[in-house]
Amino acid sequence: MAAKRVIVIGGGVAGMQAAVALKKQGVTPMLIERDITLGGKLCRWDRLFPSGTRAGEVVSPLVEAISETGIRTVLCGEVSEIVGDDSRVEVMLTDGSSYEAEAAIIATGFDLFDASLKEEYGYGIYPNVVTSVDLEEMFRSGAVVRADGSEPRSVAILHCVGSRDRQAGCGHCSRVCCITGVKQAIELKQLYPGCNVYNFYMDMRMFGSGYEELYKEAQERYRVNFIRGRISECSGTMDSRVLVKAEDTLAGRPLRLTVDMTVLLVGKQAPASNAKFASELGICVSSDGFFKGADCFDGATLTSRRNIFVAGTATGPKNVGESMNEAVAAAIKAAEYVKGLA
Amino acid sequence: MEKAVADIHKGSSGTVAKKFGFTVKSGRAIDIDAADMSVADEVMARVPSWSLCIGCGGCTATCTAGAFADYNFRRLHLMVRRGEVTGLRGRLSACMLCGKCVLQCPRGVNTRGVIAALMELLPRD
Ligand SMILES: Cc1cc2nc3c(=O)[nH]c(=O)nc-3n(C[C@H](O)[C@H](O)[C@H](O)COP(=O)(O)OP(=O)(O)OC[C@H]3O[C@@H](n4cnc5c(N)ncnc54)[C@H](O)[C@@H]3O)c2cc1C
Ligand code: SF4
Ligand code: SF4
Ligand code: SF4
């Protein structure tokens, strides 16, 4: 019997975890990643919520497991087309190469919302308006400073930028930005204890284990200010600071505040390729553009095609743990499927 | 709608408005840049659990005084945290110190401790 092969598309934590799990099930996985390295978004994050673990500590063991078990990996390979029928899948890359297998797991992840589309927040216009992604890069480089190199003494963190916002064309909740905002507020206070940090939120969505505790720690130990209300606009001041306007909805009054830096918590969006792959394969995406599982309880990683599986943030916003667990689930289902083939 | 706006004015800069006989425009927006946080900082130092408030309104809902008087404890202590302390001392006198709010608070804020500190620290009207 020929070895059963499963192609995993996307080498973020979900794709890597799926490949490792497939190998453990005795199936031959092949991993295709667009970037020059494996790891996906985690290559850009510094410390992870809720534990403070370095992102590299999650990525490295997976990369090692992939090389130790000899999983065939294609880097710098962007998948442009997925075709095939009920018994075979063919994956085409932009460089013209193609690969065939009995099944595929799509783990192509998410895209980040482009904050400059919300012009009223002045991203790309005012140098001290940055995104949560920029702030992660600053944490990684060790230099969390304003555009002129000075330490921020006050920071406003704005939740729901490009999420839950019909004006931005994104109605869904990105789920992890609230906790990212809490984590980043704490990290700012750890770095600069005298800095005043203000989080402007619509709802605080602390869904995960340890998240509510982190929120309380931000309040009690770090004295982060949480203000319920959405910033309507940011404007630059003469001295390169940022004036933010919001309603303090708990006070029922408009509120204004000038800060040294504003951080926009950008949301997660479905990559445009989701719709393309879905139409090529005849599988479904949800109204938010993420892949839709065959069933929201028992079939989250299954699609209407028996040899196509989905995992990680490709199916919707998730944290690292959820993405990795969904990858194991997809790998088990994919292995069951290919082993069942004659 | 008009009533709500009037309430808001009473709650914060009502005294100022009364003193000068016109609706001051500074009463509309909360200006954190200009706010005096000295009372808030001192209350926070004495009652650290105050930092855990999530503005749920449980204290106001259960409040004995709030059922009879125009007194909203949640909003009162929120305004202190926004640095607006004028005109609050008189309002706080509605409190009967019954302590029901402490039993209600889901975040374990020592609301009675907050009240005691405010009674001492809020400026007399
Ligand atoms: C600002 C921010 C901070 C976060 N911090 C945390 C945190 O502290 N803790 C936590 O638990 N979660 C955090 N998350 C969530 C975390 O980033 C995700 O859970 C995780 O990245 C999901 O992994 P993934 O593999 O599903 O997707 P991704 O990380 O997006 O990986 C997808 C991979 O697929 C590749 N790919 C895409 N399309 C193709 C294609 N056509 N061909 C080939 N390859 C392709 C991409 O290059 C990428 O490597 C954060 C999210 C954000 C936005
Ligand atoms: S997780 Fe929080 S910040 Fe992110 S979209 Fe949902 S409510 Fe908004
Ligand atoms: S102690 Fe005061 S504020 Fe608290 S419930 Fe009683 S009357 Fe209301
Ligand atoms: S009950 Fe507690 S958390 Fe709720 S508003 Fe009152 S003090 Fe705040």
Side-chain angles (χ1 to χ4, degrees):
Chain A
M1 193 176 75
K4 300 295 185 206
R5 291 160 308 165
V6 178
I7 292 177
V8 180
I9 304 166
V13 281
M16 288 194 288
Q17 175 85 327
V20 170
L22 283 167
K23 185 82 183 182
K24 281 192 186 140
Q25 318 263 328
V27 173
T28 306
M30 176 183 172
L31 186 57
I32 304 179
E33 166 57 45
R34 172 174 66 186
D35 286 348
I36 195 162
T37 51
L38 294 172
K41 302 296 182 303
L42 262 72
C43 297
R44 301 168 74 175
W45 311 155
D46 183 37
R47 286 190 284 167
L48 300 176
F49 62 76
S51 57
T53 308
R54 299 261 166 215
E57 290 176 34
V58 176
V59 174
S60 299
L62 286 168
V63 174
E64 275 160 33
I66 285 166
S67 73
E68 274 166 20
T69 54
I71 293 174
R72 186 166 170 213
T73 305
V74 175
L75 294 175
C76 304
E78 179 165 8
V79 173
S80 55
E81 216 178 323
I82 314 171
V83 291
D85 54 32
D86 233 14
S87 58
R88 171 195 77 89
V89 183
E90 195 182 348
V91 170
M92 259 87 84
L93 272 55
T94 46
D95 64 6
S97 55
S98 69
Y99 302 92
E100 231 186 89
E102 276 69 40
I105 297 178
I106 303 176
T108 45
F110 65 98
D111 280 354
L112 291 154
F113 177 74
D114 174 6
S116 64
L117 294 175
K118 291 292 289 180
E119 281 174 34
E120 57 271 43
Y121 299 145
Y123 182 68
I125 301 169
Y126 308 123
N128 290 310
V129 175
V130 302
T131 66
S132 43
V133 176
D134 300 329
L135 187 58
E136 280 304 308
E137 268 155 32
M138 289 190 211
F139 283 131
R140 271 159 44 79
S141 73
V144 183
V145 287
R146 305 174 68 221
D148 66 2
S150 62
E151 286 181 11
R153 277 159 302 147
S154 53
V155 178
I157 298 179
L158 175 55
H159 292 225
C160 300
V161 176
S163 304
R164 305 178 69 199
D165 180 4
R166 295 186 68 148
Q167 307 298 335
C170 306
H172 66 273
C173 167
S174 295
R175 287 178 85 240
V176 299
C177 19
C178 270
I179 182 66
T180 299
V182 168
K183 184 208 73 157
Q184 293 187 334
I186 290 177
E187 288 176 302
L188 283 166
K189 293 290 282 189
Q190 286 172 340
L191 208 53
Y192 303 124
C195 179
N196 287 314
V197 181
Y198 304 86
N199 283 52
F200 287 86
Y201 66 95
M202 303 206 288
D203 294 291
M204 287 299 288
R205 297 193 162 169
M206 299 288 110
F207 67 92
S209 163
Y211 294 8
E212 183 72 8
E213 289 73 9
L214 210 60
Y215 174 25
K216 285 175 84 172
E217 196 179 331
Q219 290 179 301
E220 197 169 32
R221 178 155 173 215
Y222 294 101
R223 296 290 153 80
V224 174
N225 301 286
F226 289 89
I227 300 177
R228 197 185 78 186
R230 189 175 170 83
I231 293 177
S232 62
E233 61 187 282
C234 298
S235 38
T237 63
M238 293 297 284
D239 54 352
S240 298
R241 300 179 77 217
V242 188
L243 172 68
V244 302
K245 285 184 189 162
E247 188 200 356
D248 182 334
T249 59
L250 291 173
R253 297 254 307 275
L255 178 146
R256 39 189 289 145
L257 166 68
T258 317
V259 289
D260 287 342
M261 188 191 264
T262 298
V263 179
L264 308 175
L265 292 171
V266 286
K268 292 181 167 190
Q269 284 190 303
S273 56
N274 283 14
K276 182 180 183 295
F277 295 152
S279 80
E280 285 162 5
L281 293 164
I283 62 174
C284 294
V285 291
S286 307
S287 59
D288 56 16
F290 291 98
F291 287 107
K292 190 175 181 174
D295 166 322
C296 56
F297 303 112
D298 190 34
T301 63
L302 309 178
T303 67
S304 50
R305 281 276 302 273
R306 61 181 192 145
N307 52 1
I308 303 290
F309 303 84
V310 284
T313 47
T315 67
K318 278 178 201 69
N319 63 26
V320 171
E322 291 169 333
S323 304
M324 292 178 77
N325 289 341
E326 197 171 80
V328 174
I332 290 172
K333 295 288 185 187
E336 265 173 20
Y337 165 73
V338 293
K339 284 179 184 171
L341 293 174
Chain B
M1 188 63 205
E2 252 167 48
K3 188 179 175 297
V5 173
D7 276 352
I8 290 159
H9 277 277
K10 262 192 270 162
S12 54
S13 52
T15 12
V16 182
K18 253 182 261 157
K19 261 185 213 155
F20 295 103
F22 60 86
T23 315
V24 273
K25 72 175 193 311
S26 69
R28 283 307 301 148
I30 296 170
D31 186 353
I32 300 282
D33 297 339
D36 173 6
M37 296 296 178
S38 55
V39 175
D41 289 346
E42 181 57 26
V43 176
M44 200 64 95
R46 293 189 195 181
V47 192
S49 64
W50 190 32
S51 63
L52 290 168
C53 175
I54 48 171
C56 72
C59 49
T60 292
T62 196
C63 179
T64 315
F68 302 105
D70 181 14
Y71 167 68
N72 182 327
F73 179 57
R74 176 196 59 79
R75 194 155 73 200
L76 187 147
H77 69 87
L78 174 68
M79 292 330 295
V80 177
R81 284 190 76 173
R82 297 289 179 261
E84 297 203 2
V85 293
T86 332
L88 298 185
R89 184 64 186 80
R91 305 202 136 222
L92 188 62
S93 62
C95 170
M96 300 163 185
L97 289 169
C98 67
K100 273 168 74 182
C101 47
V102 183
L103 300 174
Q104 176 71 219
C105 181
R107 275 301 183 100
V109 176
N110 175 7
T111 47
R112 272 229 310 198
V114 172
I115 293 162
L118 287 176
M119 283 183 165
E120 196 185 314
L121 297 165
L122 281 176
R124 302 245 155 223
D125 303 329

